[in-house]
Amino acid sequence: MKPVDFDYERPATLDAALKLLGREDLNAKPLAGSQSLGPMLNLRLVQPELLVDITAIPELASIREEKGFLVLGACVTHAALEDGGTPDPTRGVLARVAAGIAYRAVRNRGTVGGSLAHADPAADWVSVLAALGADVVVARTGGRRTVPAKDFIRGTFETALGPGELVVEIRIPALSANARWGYAKICRKAGEFSHATGVVLIDPARKFARAVIGAVSGPPIVVDDAKIAERDPGEAWVSALFAGTPLGDDAYQIRIHHVALKRAIAEARAP
Amino acid sequence: MAEGMGVGAAVRRREDERLLKGRGRFTGDIALVGMKDIALVRSPLAHARIRAIRVPPEHQGAVFTWADLAKGGVKPIRAVSGLPGFKISDQPPLADGKVRFVGEPVAACVGRTRAEAEDIAALVEIDFEELPVNADTLESARAPKSKIHDHWSDNLFLEADTVVGDIETIAASAPIKVSRQIRMARQCMVPLEGKGVVAVWERQAEQLTVHTSTQMPHIVRQGLAECLGVDQGLIRVIAPDVGGGFGWKGLLQAEEVIAAWLARALDHPVRWTEDRREHLVAAANAREHRYDITAYADATGRLLGLDARVLVDAGAYSAYPFSACLEVGQVGSILPGPYDFAHYRCHAVSVCTNKPPIVPYRGVARTGVCFAIEQIMDAIAGAVGREPHEVRLLNLVPPEKMPFVNVTKKHFDSGDYPESMRRAVAAIDLAGIRKRQKKGEADGRRIGLGLAIYCEQAGHGTAVYHGWGIPMVPGHELAQARITPDGGIEIRVGLQSHGQSMETTLAQVAHQVLGVDISKIKVVHGDTGLTPFSTGTWGSRAAVMGGGAVAAACKVLVERATKIGAHLLQAKPGDAKFENGFVRAGLGHVPLAEIARVWYRAPQLLPSDVDPGGLDVTAGYKPKSDQGTFSYASHAVVVAVDTETGAVEILDYVVVEDAGVMLNPMVVEGQVLGGIAQGIGTALYEEVPFDAEGQPLASTFADYLVPGFPEIPPIRIVHMTTPSPLTEFGQKGIGEGGAIAPPAAICNAINDALKPLGATLTDTPMSPKRVFAAIAAAVPPVGGPTNGRRVTPLGVHSHDDSLAAGNKP
């Protein structure tokens, strides 16, 4: 369990990093917190020729507020959000979710952008950022574009990132003062990846109500429905959502995803 | 609790000074000049012939196969058993023409670093001819798809029958009959430190020094000498700090043979370090029992007879030295548990499959056996409509019958089993829990209470082991005790301490006899070059055997020192006595340090008839009977079951245990707590699943779940102290006990919680998915509650393949 031989660069600017990642003559991969990439390197599931460590780039570690948005640099760690002390227009969503990711040792190094780019459907941010209606800003040499978080994950370990592109920012819209939310995940033990995730967000002022069912076989299932928080839609509803997917015939998966959703709804409704 | 630092005192662990500061020295910390790393090419297939192994030309000389080892005189590992009908399997350290499990080593690659060695390993190509795989225990036993060892007639290592009394007559007449089909999953041991070995040929000493992460250095030396075809005197095995063993390090390993041979053949030091993936895929497998068990009882719940058919999935090879017979042998002999009944039949089969060999894991067969018998006791209680503890109290061997010879001729030495059960029931507050169950939980979960009791044969020796006919039979345990010239004490034992705290507890024993301050007592262990022979640390034997041997050696020192001291005091030897580090006669006394000074530095002052052996002795020890001590414990647990998701939370856990006289109560508690943590893993989390092609499906900790700190509840320990009449201080072996009962107690608690739904769990691990499936498949008792709509059970272990149909193909 040792990685293949690779080169390592730690550029100080985004331009330099994008230039390295854009090289077509070699297989380069960005390295942020290394909490998923590290094990994959050791298992030789990925065998890059070059690792581009993006943690020395100041703008990727920044957190700022901007016209109704919170903008997280891709390299902001889960621990930074857990610990607070930064602006949080999400009414506590970020700190609560961050605090429940894996173990503190992982949270100290693991990053929001890295988690998204890794695209494990069971990862917390994959579901939560979709629920929040966040956007993912990706960059390559000579260009930037924005992808809605709910469309960023295309499948298990698959993203909308093109060749040479890097996640640079996550833009999270501020919630209204009377917005409510709920978050639940089903794990067998503390720190484990989720087996079923439910997120509910209701923001009446923005006429926004959304449920996300995550930790599924691909991108999270996003349901915009004003009535979502009024009542538990029932296990049959989840079963219908799963029809035709790899989880469609799995009564246990249907059950725990329904329970996660139900718990998220209950939390969002709680006074 | 005793004051001071002798037997019974809760002396703090001396080894923690280095271990807790990260300053231990494990095999991974050993760096030798010129050392290279080994990476192994392991089989990706569970059963295949090897047509060819291709090594890239540029790496010839860095890759070694069985052909190289065989040419070098290496012999396969062979762990025989003398039990009638046992079939012998040779395990070549590198595959010889055939692979029999995924992960079996095929070639050894040597590089300057492990990464480089892995690079080379990735380039080795093996041309396989795939063979039909026997991944399933039942199938391999009854309808094998192929023969795993070509010269065998079937895939069975051993079939063993134990028959006592007349079970048929009981079966025909008993008013109560209950049956269960029970399965304990295959597990992996996952000590914090994996295996590791550093081998070096030392020219000056003409010695092959093998530093290895082992529990039994002397047995490894014996096995290495047999496999390498060299004299044992040529080999020194050193176990440095060892980060947990649990049985995985209680055997000779293929990798030890490979590294030892390579070190000599290549004339430079080599190292192999097991990584976690190798560990989870190819090694340290354990448990995997299937029981088809029927109990007969009278209408009050008095157990009349027990009839069982058991399969143990032993994997592909017989591990050295315990062999593929130990686990089934144990099953047959200890399934009756701590109960008193007369009619018993057990047909136990050790099945060969295309999976890694199973090796004895903390508790060995006792954990599976306890899981089976304790479920059956609850079933009897259910059938006669009594509380589970009441039925147990009816059947446990009562204290007035101690010492007691049970139905399988086990010699229970002492104890009050029923009292332990009564105390557990009181401590867990059975009455309170029953009330709470009637009321229901505010959060909708169901709570349940589960009990389990076992007795643990430990420190058993020649009387038990010679019958197995395996490569190792423990006899007298040896210890060396030496008074140093400045009056300190050195204790040397061939045991190995890897969490048992022997550097502390054996020093306490020496202090008890010699009275020397514990800070001046040094315990040396785990090195064949420095210590007398021992079969090592396994079978919960170190406190009984090592404690006895150290005391025996120290007592000889007392005799010799007393004689010298008497002479110095100008007294007759008979008038002097040894007390607390001094020889006293009349009004005079002389300290041990002065006696040491005289022996070493002023021998002119010694008596003319002084024992020429001096202040340096080796003594051997056996208990009065080496049938083993029987510690025992009752476990009581309360769980909450989320019937929606199948999640189980442990709310309360009580252990009432009897270790006899505790050498160090803090160490006993540590052993109990650590064992329970592993038992909780067995109960709720751990399983190495295989697909039909024998591919292991849990190759990382993402898939192989072990309980972490948050999953271990607070555990309350209640001590009882019934001295063993057999041992030096009355101590009993308890090292494995904590890991024995939790699966049974937790299973019974879950079933108690689910009783109103008519759901029953019988298999480990009792994962949320299995609990969910059991609820989904349940038929609620008449008048009982329902649990919503029925759904198709998934992932539930199918029980239509009853073992009662016969184990033979």
Side-chain angles (χ1 to χ4, degrees):
Chain A
M1 280 217 307
K2 300 288 178 196
V4 294
D5 205 8
F6 57 80
D7 286 328
Y8 172 86
E9 299 272 3
R10 192 165 187 249
T13 67
L14 183 58
D15 282 349
L18 293 175
K19 206 164 160 189
L20 288 167
L21 290 167
R23 278 178 60 174
E24 286 174 6
D25 59 327
L26 53 71
N27 173 15
K29 274 197 86 74
L31 172 79
S34 195
Q35 297 306 292
S36 294
L37 183 59
M40 290 173 78
L41 285 168
N42 285 342
L43 292 166
R44 298 198 173 191
L45 294 173
V46 287
Q47 304 193 359
E49 291 159 285
L50 172 67
L51 283 184
V52 181
D53 185 337
I54 56 171
T55 57
I57 301 166
E59 63 190 281
L60 297 189
S62 72
I63 301 177
R64 64 181 198 278
E65 282 184 291
E66 193 180 276
K67 286 180 277 179
F69 285 89
L70 179 72
V71 183
L72 303 178
C75 290
V76 169
T77 62
H78 314 311
L81 297 175
E82 175 184 12
D83 295 345
T86 51
D88 179 13
T90 67
R91 298 176 50 77
V93 174
L94 296 181
R96 154 80 180 286
V97 171
I101 296 172
Y103 303 94
R104 179 71 197 199
V106 172
R107 300 197 288 272
N108 282 340
R109 296 191 62 88
T111 66
V112 180
S115 175
L116 281 178
H118 179 58
D120 186 328
D124 299 67
W125 295 126
V126 166
S127 295
V128 170
L129 292 173
L132 287 168
D135 288 324
V136 183
V137 179
V138 302
R140 61 183 163 78
T141 298
R144 268 181 185 237
R145 65 190 177 106
T146 297
V147 185
K150 70 182 174 67
D151 301 326
F152 182 76
I153 309 295
R154 295 278 169 85
T156 303
F157 306 131
E158 284 175 41
T159 68
L161 284 170
E165 279 187 328
L166 178 72
V167 175
V168 292
E169 279 177 9
I170 296 100
R171 299 171 62 83
I172 303 167
L175 301 187
S176 311
N178 59 353
R180 286 171 296 141
W181 56 272
Y183 178 66
K185 60 177 176 175
I186 309 275
C187 298
R188 280 183 68 189
K189 54 176 278 194
E192 209 197 0
F193 266 109
S194 175
H195 294 278
T197 301
V199 197
V200 168
L201 184 66
I202 309 141
D203 193 342
R206 290 164 60 221
K207 295 194 173 13
F208 180 93
R210 171 174 284 179
V212 172
I213 296 173
V216 290
S217 52
I221 299 170
V222 179
V223 180
D224 287 312
D225 180 351
K227 296 197 186 329
I228 194 69
E230 287 176 14
R231 60 174 176 84
D232 166 16
E235 192 167 290
W237 182 79
V238 175
S239 183
L241 276 182
F242 280 14
T245 77
L247 303 181
D249 296 325
D250 191 329
Y252 174 68
Q253 288 291 336
I254 292 166
R255 167 64 63 80
I256 59 175
H257 281 86
H258 173 236
V259 170
L261 177 66
K262 202 167 70 168
R263 288 178 184 172
I265 290 171
E267 188 187 6
R269 283 172 62 93
Chain B
M1 192 185 300
E3 297 296 318
M5 48 185 78
V7 167
V11 175
R12 287 200 168 198
R13 282 163 43 92
R14 308 160 88 201
E15 39 275 79
D16 282 343
E17 173 64 19
R18 66 177 189 281
L19 294 175
L20 295 185
K21 290 180 177 169
R23 288 177 185 164
R25 184 170 183 260
F26 300 85
T27 54
D29 297 310
I30 297 170
L32 302 176
V33 173
M35 183 173 77
K36 292 192 176 181
D37 273 294
I38 299 169
L40 294 166
V41 179
R42 293 179 179 273
S43 174
L45 298 172
H47 200 194
R49 285 189 204 290
I50 299 171
R51 285 204 198 104
I53 301 172
R54 278 187 289 277
V55 179
E58 67 272 25
H59 295 303
Q60 299 283 349
V63 180
F64 301 86
T65 66
W66 175 246
D68 301 300
L69 270 62
K71 211 185 299 166
V74 179
K75 294 189 241 343
I77 297 170
R78 176 180 282 198
V80 300
S81 161
L83 294 178
F86 181 83
K87 299 193 193 80
I88 294 169
S89 63
D90 275 348
Q91 181 183 8
L94 291 169
D96 176 13
K98 189 174 176 183
V99 289
R100 296 180 177 87
F101 66 92
V102 172
E104 182 167 357
V106 178
C109 305
V110 179
R112 285 170 304 174
T113 62
R114 174 64 177 252
E116 189 183 275
E118 288 185 19
D119 290 344
I120 297 169
L123 298 172
V124 175
E125 288 177 20
I126 307 167
D127 185 1
F128 287 111
E129 174 194 338
E130 292 191 41
L131 295 170
V133 174
N134 302 285
D136 181 74
T137 320
L138 263 180
E139 200 175 67
S140 194
R142 279 204 211 133
K145 290 181 173 164
S146 58
K147 281 202 276 184
I148 295 169
H149 297 283
D150 296 346
H151 61 291
W152 290 13
S153 53
D154 52 28
N155 286 341
L156 307 179
F157 278 106
L158 178 71
E159 292 183 84
D161 287 291
T162 312
V163 181
V164 186
D166 179 6
I167 196 76
E168 296 293 352
T169 302
I170 293 294
S173 61
I176 299 290
K177 173 188 176 185
V178 290
S179 297
R180 285 282 185 276
Q181 285 158 17
I182 290 165
R183 182 166 182 237
M184 180 155 275
R186 186 170 268 253
Q187 257 186 270
C188 202
M189 298 187 205
V190 296
L192 273 181
E193 182 212 21
K195 272 293 298 185
V197 51
V198 177
V200 56
W201 173 250
E202 294 180 305
R203 288 160 190 270
Q204 174 263 327
E206 274 203 59
Q207 174 177 282
L208 182 62
T209 301
V210 180
H211 306 262
T212 185
S213 181
T214 187
Q215 301 168 220
M216 37 170 54
H218 292 272
I219 296 299
V220 169
R221 175 162 93 148
Q222 168 192 304
L224 281 177
E226 287 172 12
C227 284
L228 299 177
V230 300
D231 293 343
Q232 289 200 35
L234 214 62
I235 301 173
R236 177 180 180 186
V237 174
I238 303 172
D241 277 326
V242 173
F246 312 119
W248 172 225
K249 297 167 185 174
L251 57 147
L252 173 70
Q253 285 175 316
E255 292 86 351
E256 286 169 327
V257 179
I258 295 166
W261 182 80
L262 282 172
R264 204 173 171 197
L266 300 178
D267 202 16
H268 60 68
V270 293
R271 171 172 68 183
W272 172 73
T273 307
E274 179 185 64
D275 68 32
R276 198 51 80 178
R277 193 154 191 241
E278 291 180 289
H279 182 84
L280 288 170
V281 168
N285 278 207
R287 311 267 192 249
E288 192 153 27
H289 294 189
R290 303 174 69 123
Y291 295 81
D292 195 332
I293 182 169
T294 299
Y296 301 97
D298 72 13
T300 68
R302 183 81 180 84
L303 185 58
L304 302 172
L306 195 65
D307 193 7
R309 303 178 75 84
V310 186
L311 295 185
V312 172
D313 188 326
Y317 296 105
S318 175
Y320 186 103
F322 290 105
S323 91
C325 85
L326 177 79
E327 198 107 356
V328 283
Q330 265 202 357
V331 166
S333 64
I334 64 175
L335 185 57
Y339 300 110
D340 178 9
F341 63 93
H343 302 277
Y344 175 58
R345 180 168 67 188
C346 180
H347 179 68
V349 185
S350 182
V351 184
C352 185
T353 58
N354 289 116
K355 292 186 271 192
I358 64 160
V359 289
Y361 175 34
R362 194 176 199 174
V364 199
R366 304 177 192 98
T367 305
V369 157
C370 179
F371 190 57
I373 185 86
E374 291 301 277
Q375 284 190 53
I376 273 289
M377 294 311 288
D378 269 28
I380 293 172
V384 301
R386 301 185 74 170
E387 278 287 356
H389 75 279
E390 293 172 351
V391 167
R392 286 180 174 81
L393 290 174
L394 265 186
N395 290 294
L396 288 167
V397 175
E400 59 272 18
K401 282 197 176 180
M402 291 290 182
F404 180 80
V405 179
N406 86 340
V407 67
T408 53
K409 301 278 184 286
K410 292 287 173 190
H411 296 241
F412 298 170
D413 54 344
S414 65
D416 188 340
Y417 300 172
E419 179 60 16
S420 136
M421 179 53 62
R422 283 189 290 268
R423 290 192 194 181
V425 166
I428 203 81
D429 186 17
L430 174 84
I433 296 297
R434 292 289 180 243
K435 249 187 245 163
R436 189 172 155 186
Q437 282 177 314
K438 280 211 183 86
K439 214 172 103 206
E441 298 295 295
D443 62 10
R445 293 190 296 177
R446 291 183 177 275
I447 64 166
L449 189 155
L451 300 169
I453 182 168
Y454 67 89
C455 58
E456 177 193 2
Q457 186 182 23
H460 37 315
T462 319
V464 176
Y465 272 86
H466 83 275
W468 303 107
I470 60 173
M472 174 190 89
V473 179
H476 283 84
E477 187 70 17
L478 297 176
Q480 288 176 348
R482 171 190 295 166
I483 304 176
T484 59
D486 57 356
I489 305 296
E490 279 178 14
I491 300 294
R492 292 165 185 257
V493 290
L495 298 161
Q496 207 285 337
S497 184
H498 47 280
Q500 292 80 5
S501 318
M502 279 183 248
E503 291 170 35
T504 305
T505 55
L506 294 183
Q508 287 179 256
V509 168
H511 169 82
Q512 182 74 26
V513 179
L514 293 169
V516 172
D517 192 282
I518 203 169
S519 65
K520 294 194 187 319
I521 302 173
K522 165 97 180 143
V523 177
V524 177
H525 61 91
D527 182 339
T528 64
L530 299 177
T531 67
F533 181 87
S534 167
T535 56
T537 302
W538 53 272
S540 303
R541 65 191 298 278
V544 169
M545 301 303 294
V550 169
C554 290
K555 283 178 182 176
V556 178
L557 282 183
V558 165
E559 266 173 48
R560 294 190 186 173
T562 305
K563 190 168 176 188
I564 298 171
H567 180 74
L568 296 177
L569 293 167
Q570 299 181 351
K572 288 182 197 143
D575 293 341
K577 60 178 179 182
F578 188 89
E579 208 176 73
N580 235 353
F582 293 87
V583 174
R584 295 179 193 277
L587 293 175
H589 64 271
V590 54
L592 207 50
E594 173 59 13
I595 293 167
R597 189 192 71 82
V598 169
W599 168 263
Y600 290 103
R601 302 177 73 172
Q604 68 277 13
L605 301 178
L606 291 167
S608 56
D609 61 344
V610 70
D611 189 316
L615 303 177
D616 196 338
V617 305
T618 301
Y621 170 79
K622 260 192 184 187
K624 288 171 193 142
S625 148
D626 65 359
Q627 296 278 354
T629 60
F630 283 80
S631 57
Y632 58 96
S634 295
H635 288 213
V637 58
V638 178
V639 300
V641 182
D642 181 332
T643 54
E644 274 196 309
T645 63
V648 174
E649 185 191 354
I650 298 172
L651 301 180
D652 194 10
Y653 204 117
V654 171
V655 180
V656 180
E657 66 80 39
D658 190 341
V661 172
M662 294 181 278
L663 298 183
N664 180 328
M666 183 194 69
V667 167
V668 168
E669 291 187 1
Q671 288 281 17
V672 171
L673 295 175
I676 290 175
Q678 288 178 307
I680 289 172
T682 302
L684 297 177
Y685 299 101
E686 300 184 38
E687 179 173 22
V688 186
F690 289 81
D691 70 10
E693 293 306 309
Q695 291 292 335
L697 302 178
S699 65
T700 72
F701 280 144
D703 295 311
Y704 190 84
L705 296 190
V706 288
F709 210 78
E711 283 73 49
I712 306 302
I715 291 159
R716 298 186 279 142
I717 300 176
V718 179
H719 294 294
M720 289 171 60
T721 303
T722 314
S724 172
L726 307 177
T727 62
E728 177 65 31
F729 301 104
Q731 77 272 36
K732 297 184 176 188
I734 52 95
E736 299 167 81
I740 293 173
I746 292 168
C747 181
N748 286 339
I750 294 171
N751 287 338
D752 183 52
L754 299 182
K755 202 171 170 184
L757 304 180
T760 308
L761 276 288
T762 54
D763 298 358
T764 65
M766 290 159 275
S767 61
K769 198 167 177 172
R770 278 208 176 92
V771 173
F772 169 82
I775 293 170
V779 180
V782 179
T786 56
N787 197 51
R789 73 187 177 86
R790 296 290 298 277
V791 287
T792 315
L794 289 157
V796 69
H797 175 65
S798 165
H799 278 319
D800 55 2
D801 45 13
S802 159
L803 308 187
N807 297 318
K808 288 204 159 184

